[in-house]
Amino acid sequence: MAFKPANNIQDLQYFGEFGGINPSISDATTFTFMSAKTMSDTFEGNSDGCHLYARHTTPSNLYLGEALAAMEATKTANVFGSGMGAITAVLMQLCGAGDHVVSSRTIYGGTYAFLKNFTPKLNIQTSFVDITKLAVVEAAITPHTKVLYCESVSNPLLEVADIEGLSELAKKHNLQLVVDNTFSPLSISPKTLGADIVIHSLTKFINGSSDTVGGVVCGTQEMIDRLRSVIDGAGMLFGSTMDSRVSASILKNLRTLHIRIKQHSANALYLAERFEKDGLKTVYPGLESHPSHLIFKQMMHSEYGFGGMMTIDAGSLEKANALMELMQKENLGYLAVSLGFHKTLFSAPGSSTSSEIPEDEQKEMGLGEGLIRFSIGLDNDIERTYQKMKACMKTVGILS
Ligand code: PLP
C-alpha cells in the first residue's frame, strides 16, 4: 500500500500512566536506576528503554520523535530545541575539519549564515549552487564533500529540489543527502525519495500555533545514536535540547497537521492562481508556470497540495512595505517573519529572514528587494481574503 504519512501518525497510541488519553508529560530532568550497572550500561548506550538525563532523552521527547519518524518514514528521530539546533547538530556530526558541503544557494538565512560564516572557522567549506541543476550540483562535488544539503521547497524563493535526482548523486559520490522539509510537511516525504536525513523546524507548520520553538532530525538508528552519543554526539553535547513540556504541546498539535496543511495549500493555490491572472509576478509550486511544478507533482502526496508558501513581487521595497502595512491594518494577516500560523504572515525576505545573504548574492539568485513571502493562513473565506488583498494592492499601486 502507498505510504500515507498522516495515517502513520494517527495509528500511534500513547497513554498516560493512569490511562490518560494523552501521555503524561515527563516532569523530571533525571531518572533513577535500580542498579548501578544499568546506569553505567546506559551511559555506554547499551540499555534500551532507560532514560539518563533530560538533555539526552525524555519519554515526552521520544513520543514526539517517534511520531515525526512515522510521518517521515524514517527508523527514528531526535527532537531539538529549535530547527537551527537540529541543522547545526547534523552538519557538525557529519563534517569535520577539511570537509566540504554542497548546499543549495537558496536556503533559510540562518542555515546560510552558519555554512557561510561559521563553519569556515572550523575549516569546513561550502559551495552554494543552483540546486535545481543537477549537473551544476555534481560539478561542485569534490573528494572532500561529505554532505549534499537542500530544502525540499526553498526559503524564500520556493525552488523545488529534485530529491530523487539528488539522491542518485549522493549515492554515486558516497554523500549524505540532508533535506530540510520545513516548508512541505506531509506534501513531500524526502526519505521515500532517497534522502538520508530529514530535518524540520517544528516552530512552523508542524506546531502551527507560533508559540513554541523546536526542531527534529529524522534518520537511521545509527545516525540518531551518533547524535545522542555522550562521547561525541552533537545533539547531546551542543545542548540544543527540547523541553518535555514543549514536546508534549507539539505532539498534540501534530495530530491536526493533515487538516491544516490541506487548508493552507488550498488557500495558497486559490490566491496564487488569482494573483497570477491579475498580472502579478507570483511564485507558487502549484502553478503550472513554476519551473519545478512537474517535479513537485511527481514527488507529492497529492491530497496535501503544494503547501502554504507563496511569493509575489511588488516591484520595489517601498511598495512591498506599503502593501504589507496596509494588509496588516486591514487585518488580512501580520507583518511578521516565520510561517505556518493560522493567520497569514508576510515579510520581505531581502531585508529580513534572508538579510544574512549579501545583496549581490541575493540579486544573483533572483531575490528581488520587492519580493514578499506569504505564509497563507487557514482563512475560512478565501474569496473574501482575495478581494480585500486585491483592494490593498490597488491602493498601493501594485495593481491597477
Ligand atoms: N529551516 C527553515 C526552512 C526555516 O524557515 C527556518 C526558520 O525560519 C529554520 C529552518 C530554522 O528554524 P528555527 O527558527 O526553529 O530554529
mmCIF file of all heavy atoms in Angstrom, residues 50-90:
data_model
loop_
_atom_site.group_PDB
_atom_site.id
_atom_site.type_symbol
_atom_site.label_atom_id
_atom_site.label_comp_id
_atom_site.label_asym_id
_atom_site.label_seq_id
_atom_site.Cartn_x
_atom_site.Cartn_y
_atom_site.Cartn_z
ATOM 1 N N CYS A 50 15.870 2.889 28.929
ATOM 2 C CA CYS A 50 16.218 3.645 30.133
ATOM 3 C C CYS A 50 16.524 5.091 29.761
ATOM 4 O O CYS A 50 17.132 5.357 28.734
ATOM 5 C CB CYS A 50 17.446 3.048 30.812
ATOM 6 S SG CYS A 50 17.082 1.494 31.600
ATOM 7 N N HIS A 51 16.115 5.988 30.606
ATOM 8 C CA HIS A 51 16.445 7.401 30.415
ATOM 9 C C HIS A 51 17.497 7.789 31.444
ATOM 10 O O HIS A 51 17.500 7.292 32.565
ATOM 11 C CB HIS A 51 15.191 8.262 30.576
ATOM 12 C CG HIS A 51 14.147 7.935 29.564
ATOM 13 N ND1 HIS A 51 14.189 8.423 28.283
ATOM 14 C CD2 HIS A 51 13.051 7.126 29.631
ATOM 15 C CE1 HIS A 51 13.151 7.947 27.600
ATOM 16 N NE2 HIS A 51 12.456 7.158 28.392
ATOM 17 N N LEU A 52 18.355 8.707 31.019
ATOM 18 C CA LEU A 52 19.511 9.043 31.819
ATOM 19 C C LEU A 52 19.348 10.434 32.397
ATOM 20 O O LEU A 52 19.353 10.647 33.611
ATOM 21 C CB LEU A 52 20.699 9.017 30.846
ATOM 22 C CG LEU A 52 22.094 9.060 31.329
ATOM 23 C CD1 LEU A 52 22.355 7.839 32.194
ATOM 24 C CD2 LEU A 52 23.027 9.055 30.102
ATOM 25 N N TYR A 53 19.175 11.368 31.510
ATOM 26 C CA TYR A 53 19.194 12.780 31.853
ATOM 27 C C TYR A 53 18.446 13.493 30.733
ATOM 28 O O TYR A 53 18.536 13.087 29.560
ATOM 29 C CB TYR A 53 20.666 13.247 31.927
ATOM 30 C CG TYR A 53 20.846 14.697 32.266
ATOM 31 C CD1 TYR A 53 20.364 15.218 33.472
ATOM 32 C CD2 TYR A 53 21.507 15.554 31.384
ATOM 33 C CE1 TYR A 53 20.536 16.556 33.768
ATOM 34 C CE2 TYR A 53 21.691 16.891 31.688
ATOM 35 C CZ TYR A 53 21.193 17.389 32.875
ATOM 36 O OH TYR A 53 21.354 18.703 33.182
ATOM 37 N N ALA A 54 17.712 14.552 31.046
ATOM 38 C CA ALA A 54 16.757 15.105 30.075
ATOM 39 C C ALA A 54 17.409 15.762 28.862
ATOM 40 O O ALA A 54 16.760 15.961 27.847
ATOM 41 C CB ALA A 54 15.838 16.096 30.776
ATOM 42 N N ARG A 55 18.699 16.107 28.937
ATOM 43 C CA ARG A 55 19.356 16.623 27.724
ATOM 44 C C ARG A 55 19.607 15.487 26.726
ATOM 45 O O ARG A 55 19.792 15.723 25.538
ATOM 46 C CB ARG A 55 20.657 17.354 28.089
ATOM 47 C CG ARG A 55 21.420 17.905 26.895
ATOM 48 C CD ARG A 55 22.318 19.082 27.244
ATOM 49 N NE ARG A 55 23.086 18.852 28.457
ATOM 50 C CZ ARG A 55 24.183 18.099 28.537
ATOM 51 N NH1 ARG A 55 24.642 17.485 27.475
ATOM 52 N NH2 ARG A 55 24.807 17.957 29.679
ATOM 53 N N HIS A 56 19.582 14.276 27.218
ATOM 54 C CA HIS A 56 19.815 13.092 26.391
ATOM 55 C C HIS A 56 18.485 12.626 25.792
ATOM 56 O O HIS A 56 18.272 12.756 24.589
ATOM 57 C CB HIS A 56 20.460 12.024 27.286
ATOM 58 C CG HIS A 56 20.992 10.857 26.545
ATOM 59 N ND1 HIS A 56 20.642 9.572 26.877
ATOM 60 C CD2 HIS A 56 21.847 10.769 25.513
ATOM 61 C CE1 HIS A 56 21.268 8.734 26.061
ATOM 62 N NE2 HIS A 56 21.993 9.427 25.235
ATOM 63 N N THR A 57 17.604 12.117 26.621
ATOM 64 C CA THR A 57 16.245 11.745 26.176
ATOM 65 C C THR A 57 15.272 11.937 27.339
ATOM 66 O O THR A 57 15.670 11.902 28.506
ATOM 67 C CB THR A 57 16.141 10.255 25.758
ATOM 68 O OG1 THR A 57 16.449 9.436 26.894
ATOM 69 C CG2 THR A 57 17.042 9.906 24.599
ATOM 70 N N THR A 58 13.996 12.119 26.975
ATOM 71 C CA THR A 58 12.909 12.032 27.969
ATOM 72 C C THR A 58 11.779 11.260 27.310
ATOM 73 O O THR A 58 11.682 11.238 26.074
ATOM 74 C CB THR A 58 12.359 13.410 28.395
ATOM 75 O OG1 THR A 58 11.621 13.966 27.290
ATOM 76 C CG2 THR A 58 13.442 14.382 28.821
ATOM 77 N N PRO A 59 10.897 10.647 28.090
ATOM 78 C CA PRO A 59 9.767 9.945 27.477
ATOM 79 C C PRO A 59 8.973 10.863 26.547
ATOM 80 O O PRO A 59 8.632 10.474 25.425
ATOM 81 C CB PRO A 59 8.938 9.493 28.685
ATOM 82 C CG PRO A 59 9.951 9.353 29.785
ATOM 83 C CD PRO A 59 10.948 10.450 29.552
ATOM 84 N N SER A 60 8.701 12.091 26.959
ATOM 85 C CA SER A 60 7.908 13.002 26.107
ATOM 86 C C SER A 60 8.615 13.282 24.791
ATOM 87 O O SER A 60 7.998 13.301 23.718
ATOM 88 C CB SER A 60 7.662 14.331 26.821
ATOM 89 O OG SER A 60 6.818 14.149 27.917
ATOM 90 N N ASN A 61 9.915 13.508 24.860
ATOM 91 C CA ASN A 61 10.656 13.785 23.623
ATOM 92 C C ASN A 61 10.686 12.565 22.709
ATOM 93 O O ASN A 61 10.624 12.694 21.488
ATOM 94 C CB ASN A 61 12.081 14.233 23.951
ATOM 95 C CG ASN A 61 12.126 15.635 24.527
ATOM 96 O OD1 ASN A 61 11.087 16.284 24.683
ATOM 97 N ND2 ASN A 61 13.311 16.118 24.867
ATOM 98 N N LEU A 62 10.756 11.379 23.310
ATOM 99 C CA LEU A 62 10.755 10.172 22.468
ATOM 100 C C LEU A 62 9.405 9.975 21.787
ATOM 101 O O LEU A 62 9.341 9.562 20.631
ATOM 102 C CB LEU A 62 11.108 8.932 23.292
ATOM 103 C CG LEU A 62 12.543 8.824 23.806
ATOM 104 C CD1 LEU A 62 12.821 7.398 24.295
ATOM 105 C CD2 LEU A 62 13.586 9.209 22.760
ATOM 106 N N TYR A 63 8.312 10.276 22.490
ATOM 107 C CA TYR A 63 6.987 10.155 21.858
ATOM 108 C C TYR A 63 6.906 11.055 20.623
ATOM 109 O O TYR A 63 6.457 10.637 19.567
ATOM 110 C CB TYR A 63 5.872 10.578 22.829
ATOM 111 C CG TYR A 63 5.585 9.603 23.941
ATOM 112 C CD1 TYR A 63 5.251 10.069 25.216
ATOM 113 C CD2 TYR A 63 5.610 8.236 23.720
ATOM 114 C CE1 TYR A 63 4.961 9.190 26.239
ATOM 115 C CE2 TYR A 63 5.322 7.353 24.746
ATOM 116 C CZ TYR A 63 5.000 7.833 26.009
ATOM 117 O OH TYR A 63 4.719 6.957 27.013
ATOM 118 N N LEU A 64 7.317 12.303 20.790
ATOM 119 C CA LEU A 64 7.235 13.225 19.653
ATOM 120 C C LEU A 64 8.162 12.763 18.530
ATOM 121 O O LEU A 64 7.785 12.772 17.356
ATOM 122 C CB LEU A 64 7.583 14.662 20.087
ATOM 123 C CG LEU A 64 7.576 15.688 18.952
ATOM 124 C CD1 LEU A 64 6.205 15.809 18.305
ATOM 125 C CD2 LEU A 64 8.041 17.062 19.453
ATOM 126 N N GLY A 65 9.362 12.353 18.901
ATOM 127 C CA GLY A 65 10.313 11.876 17.891
ATOM 128 C C GLY A 65 9.748 10.678 17.130
ATOM 129 O O GLY A 65 9.851 10.601 15.900
ATOM 130 N N GLU A 66 9.097 9.773 17.858
ATOM 131 C CA GLU A 66 8.532 8.575 17.212
ATOM 132 C C GLU A 66 7.442 8.972 16.215
ATOM 133 O O GLU A 66 7.354 8.427 15.112
ATOM 134 C CB GLU A 66 7.947 7.653 18.296
ATOM 135 C CG GLU A 66 7.584 6.288 17.780
ATOM 136 C CD GLU A 66 6.875 5.439 18.848
ATOM 137 O OE1 GLU A 66 6.940 5.785 20.049
ATOM 138 O OE2 GLU A 66 6.242 4.450 18.457
ATOM 139 N N ALA A 67 6.613 9.945 16.604
ATOM 140 C CA ALA A 67 5.521 10.383 15.718
ATOM 141 C C ALA A 67 6.087 11.045 14.457
ATOM 142 O O ALA A 67 5.589 10.835 13.347
ATOM 143 C CB ALA A 67 4.598 11.337 16.453
ATOM 144 N N LEU A 68 7.148 11.825 14.629
ATOM 145 C CA LEU A 68 7.734 12.510 13.463
ATOM 146 C C LEU A 68 8.481 11.534 12.564
ATOM 147 O O LEU A 68 8.476 11.666 11.340
ATOM 148 C CB LEU A 68 8.640 13.655 13.931
ATOM 149 C CG LEU A 68 7.852 14.799 14.587
ATOM 150 C CD1 LEU A 68 8.769 15.715 15.387
ATOM 151 C CD2 LEU A 68 7.090 15.603 13.535
ATOM 152 N N ALA A 69 9.107 10.527 13.188
ATOM 153 C CA ALA A 69 9.759 9.475 12.381
ATOM 154 C C ALA A 69 8.698 8.717 11.581
ATOM 155 O O ALA A 69 8.900 8.391 10.405
ATOM 156 C CB ALA A 69 10.541 8.522 13.277
ATOM 157 N N ALA A 70 7.556 8.466 12.200
ATOM 158 C CA ALA A 70 6.459 7.770 11.492
ATOM 159 C C ALA A 70 6.005 8.626 10.310
ATOM 160 O O ALA A 70 5.764 8.121 9.212
ATOM 161 C CB ALA A 70 5.304 7.509 12.444
ATOM 162 N N MET A 71 5.913 9.926 10.532
ATOM 163 C CA MET A 71 5.486 10.821 9.459
ATOM 164 C C MET A 71 6.492 10.833 8.313
ATOM 165 O O MET A 71 6.124 10.893 7.146
ATOM 166 C CB MET A 71 5.325 12.244 10.010
ATOM 167 C CG MET A 71 4.920 13.255 8.965
ATOM 168 S SD MET A 71 4.754 14.912 9.635
ATOM 169 C CE MET A 71 6.418 15.523 9.423
ATOM 170 N N GLU A 72 7.774 10.792 8.651
ATOM 171 C CA GLU A 72 8.811 10.908 7.624
ATOM 172 C C GLU A 72 9.346 9.562 7.146
ATOM 173 O O GLU A 72 10.310 9.508 6.381
ATOM 174 C CB GLU A 72 9.965 11.794 8.114
ATOM 175 C CG GLU A 72 9.638 13.289 8.159
ATOM 176 C CD GLU A 72 9.312 13.887 6.782
ATOM 177 O OE1 GLU A 72 9.289 13.158 5.774
ATOM 178 O OE2 GLU A 72 9.057 15.102 6.735
ATOM 179 N N ALA A 73 8.739 8.475 7.604
ATOM 180 C CA ALA A 73 9.138 7.134 7.154
ATOM 181 C C ALA A 73 10.601 6.830 7.452
ATOM 182 O O ALA A 73 11.261 6.119 6.691
ATOM 183 C CB ALA A 73 8.876 6.960 5.654
ATOM 184 N N THR A 74 11.109 7.382 8.551
ATOM 185 C CA THR A 74 12.467 7.008 8.950
ATOM 186 C C THR A 74 12.392 6.065 10.149
ATOM 187 O O THR A 74 11.353 5.958 10.807
ATOM 188 C CB THR A 74 13.325 8.237 9.333
ATOM 189 O OG1 THR A 74 12.706 8.915 10.424
ATOM 190 C CG2 THR A 74 13.500 9.167 8.153
ATOM 191 N N LYS A 75 13.508 5.416 10.441
ATOM 192 C CA LYS A 75 13.515 4.453 11.539
ATOM 193 C C LYS A 75 13.235 5.165 12.861
ATOM 194 O O LYS A 75 12.475 4.695 13.685
ATOM 195 C CB LYS A 75 14.902 3.779 11.567
ATOM 196 C CG LYS A 75 15.098 2.813 12.678
ATOM 197 C CD LYS A 75 14.475 1.447 12.318
ATOM 198 C CE LYS A 75 14.690 0.428 13.395
ATOM 199 N NZ LYS A 75 13.512 0.132 14.184
ATOM 200 N N THR A 76 13.861 6.317 13.044
ATOM 201 C CA THR A 76 13.678 7.014 14.318
ATOM 202 C C THR A 76 13.974 8.505 14.131
ATOM 203 O O THR A 76 14.182 8.972 13.012
ATOM 204 C CB THR A 76 14.565 6.355 15.415
ATOM 205 O OG1 THR A 76 14.278 6.954 16.678
ATOM 206 C CG2 THR A 76 16.031 6.489 15.102
ATOM 207 N N ALA A 77 13.956 9.253 15.240
ATOM 208 C CA ALA A 77 14.164 10.698 15.144
ATOM 209 C C ALA A 77 14.590 11.237 16.503
ATOM 210 O O ALA A 77 14.347 10.603 17.532
ATOM 211 C CB ALA A 77 12.870 11.384 14.712
ATOM 212 N N ASN A 78 15.217 12.405 16.484
ATOM 213 C CA ASN A 78 15.570 13.069 17.739
ATOM 214 C C ASN A 78 15.091 14.518 17.670
ATOM 215 O O ASN A 78 15.346 15.200 16.676
ATOM 216 C CB ASN A 78 17.092 13.051 17.946
ATOM 217 C CG ASN A 78 17.471 13.410 19.376
ATOM 218 O OD1 ASN A 78 17.075 12.714 20.313
ATOM 219 N ND2 ASN A 78 18.198 14.491 19.548
ATOM 220 N N VAL A 79 14.379 14.959 18.698
ATOM 221 C CA VAL A 79 13.893 16.338 18.684
ATOM 222 C C VAL A 79 14.946 17.263 19.301
ATOM 223 O O VAL A 79 15.768 16.846 20.121
ATOM 224 C CB VAL A 79 12.541 16.489 19.404
ATOM 225 C CG1 VAL A 79 11.458 15.744 18.637
ATOM 226 C CG2 VAL A 79 12.596 16.025 20.848
ATOM 227 N N PHE A 80 14.904 18.516 18.886
ATOM 228 C CA PHE A 80 15.879 19.526 19.309
ATOM 229 C C PHE A 80 15.146 20.784 19.777
ATOM 230 O O PHE A 80 13.948 20.947 19.524
ATOM 231 C CB PHE A 80 16.808 19.885 18.138
ATOM 232 C CG PHE A 80 17.792 18.799 17.810
ATOM 233 C CD1 PHE A 80 17.402 17.701 17.044
ATOM 234 C CD2 PHE A 80 19.094 18.847 18.290
ATOM 235 C CE1 PHE A 80 18.298 16.686 16.754
ATOM 236 C CE2 PHE A 80 19.995 17.830 18.005
ATOM 237 C CZ PHE A 80 19.608 16.754 17.239
ATOM 238 N N GLY A 81 15.909 21.669 20.411
ATOM 239 C CA GLY A 81 15.317 22.891 20.946
ATOM 240 C C GLY A 81 14.874 23.870 19.874
ATOM 241 O O GLY A 81 14.093 24.786 20.140
ATOM 242 N N SER A 82 15.375 23.712 18.645
ATOM 243 C CA SER A 82 14.989 24.607 17.546
ATOM 244 C C SER A 82 15.359 23.927 16.226
ATOM 245 O O SER A 82 16.121 22.949 16.219
ATOM 246 C CB SER A 82 15.716 25.949 17.647
ATOM 247 O OG SER A 82 17.088 25.773 17.381
ATOM 248 N N GLY A 83 14.857 24.494 15.137
ATOM 249 C CA GLY A 83 15.258 24.000 13.822
ATOM 250 C C GLY A 83 16.756 24.181 13.622
ATOM 251 O O GLY A 83 17.439 23.286 13.130
ATOM 252 N N MET A 84 17.268 25.335 13.992
ATOM 253 C CA MET A 84 18.711 25.575 13.850
ATOM 254 C C MET A 84 19.518 24.620 14.739
ATOM 255 O O MET A 84 20.623 24.213 14.366
ATOM 256 C CB MET A 84 19.062 27.035 14.178
ATOM 257 C CG MET A 84 18.793 28.022 13.050
ATOM 258 S SD MET A 84 19.502 27.549 11.449
ATOM 259 C CE MET A 84 21.254 27.733 11.749
ATOM 260 N N GLY A 85 18.969 24.278 15.897
ATOM 261 C CA GLY A 85 19.639 23.301 16.765
ATOM 262 C C GLY A 85 19.775 21.968 16.044
ATOM 263 O O GLY A 85 20.808 21.287 16.141
ATOM 264 N N ALA A 86 18.736 21.580 15.301
ATOM 265 C CA ALA A 86 18.765 20.315 14.556
ATOM 266 C C ALA A 86 19.747 20.399 13.391
ATOM 267 O O ALA A 86 20.565 19.496 13.174
ATOM 268 C CB ALA A 86 17.354 19.998 14.050
ATOM 269 N N ILE A 87 19.680 21.508 12.651
ATOM 270 C CA ILE A 87 20.519 21.656 11.450
ATOM 271 C C ILE A 87 22.006 21.696 11.816
ATOM 272 O O ILE A 87 22.830 20.990 11.224
ATOM 273 C CB ILE A 87 20.110 22.954 10.699
ATOM 274 C CG1 ILE A 87 18.713 22.789 10.097
ATOM 275 C CG2 ILE A 87 21.135 23.324 9.629
ATOM 276 C CD1 ILE A 87 18.044 24.092 9.677
ATOM 277 N N THR A 88 22.343 22.511 12.815
ATOM 278 C CA THR A 88 23.764 22.644 13.173
ATOM 279 C C THR A 88 24.307 21.330 13.739
ATOM 280 O O THR A 88 25.435 20.943 13.445
ATOM 281 C CB THR A 88 23.977 23.800 14.177
ATOM 282 O OG1 THR A 88 23.103 23.617 15.289
ATOM 283 C CG2 THR A 88 23.693 25.148 13.546
ATOM 284 N N ALA A 89 23.477 20.625 14.510
ATOM 285 C CA ALA A 89 23.943 19.353 15.077
ATOM 286 C C ALA A 89 24.244 18.348 13.958
ATOM 287 O O ALA A 89 25.275 17.673 13.977
ATOM 288 C CB ALA A 89 22.904 18.790 16.041
ATOM 289 N N VAL A 90 23.350 18.259 12.977
ATOM 290 C CA VAL A 90 23.563 17.293 11.886
ATOM 291 C C VAL A 90 24.827 17.641 11.110
ATOM 292 O O VAL A 90 25.682 16.774 10.844
ATOM 293 C CB VAL A 90 22.333 17.272 10.939
ATOM 294 C CG1 VAL A 90 22.678 16.608 9.616
ATOM 295 C CG2 VAL A 90 21.189 16.540 11.604
#
